[in-house]
Amino acid sequence: MSKQPINVMSSKLGISSLRTIEKAKELQQLMDVRVGSGSLAALGITGSCPLIMCLDLAASATGQTLTKTEAIRLSGVNKKVYANGLRALESMLELEVKQTIKDLAVQFGCSGAVTLAEQALQRYEQSHNSKSCTQMDFSAPMFQASALYAACRKLKTKVDRKKIVEVCSIKRTTFDRLVADLEKQVETIIGEQGKVKSTAIKKRPKSLMDDVERHMQEEESKRAKTDNSEESGGNVDYKDWKKRILEKALKAKKEAKAEKDTSNTADS
């Protein structure tokens, strides 16, 4: 590990914030205790690279800006090694902010895939736990991002694969295998949802038609009763009317006859 003090490296990176420098020193001490030079060397983090990374992480934690290209140049490693090493160091120092599927969906603009991704990951976790005693942290970015990507593929939602792989901090081959396993869970869920919808569609018309037919029968019955009642009432009214007319006609006829008889008697 480089013996250059953090103060020297911070000035080369243009970092003047005492808060950021103190944070970098804390991270350096934590790195020496938790990680060690052997593990750093295995990751390709040697020379001045560990100090630069501590400053990089400290700048992110304190909200300071840092020129990435200059940091990579001073680290003595290429861009890929630096990026992978920085994520690994962040994880080992437990500094990484774990993003949920919802957080990633907002970041990548695919909120419509959240529910399916969460269900797929939950089933994947249950399947793993039932087959293995190995403890896995399924809240890790590699699982969250892979589940979201698997759901997006099945829903045909476009997502930047390269960027989502970077979030996972794993090799592409590992990412592809994990996505393939999660896609199986996604397919199962979609299949089950399809069966539920199909069953609901089949049952609904039958129930609806039964209600309609029953309602129509009730209405027909009511209408028939009403019609019969009205028809019966109409007949009664007509008969009464006819009877009254006949009675009036008969009365008028009798009165006319009586008047005629009276007139004839007077003439005699």
Side-chain angles (χ1 to χ4, degrees), residues 109-121:
C110 52
S111 298
V114 170
T115 301
L116 184 58
E118 289 177 339
Q119 292 174 345
L121 183 57

Side-chain angles (χ1 to χ4, degrees), residues 70-116:
E70 183 63 14
I72 294 172
R73 188 186 70 80
L74 291 172
S75 70
V77 297
N78 61 41
K79 182 179 179 180
K80 184 177 181 180
V81 172
Y82 184 87
N84 291 336
L86 186 66
R87 284 195 294 267
L89 184 59
E90 184 181 36
S91 178
M92 288 186 285
L93 296 179
E94 298 181 356
L95 299 175
E96 60 180 348
V97 178
K98 292 184 178 180
Q99 292 180 297
T100 64
I101 288 175
K102 289 182 180 179
D103 295 331
L104 292 171
V106 171
Q107 180 181 339
F108 288 97
C110 52
S111 298
V114 170
T115 301
L116 184 58

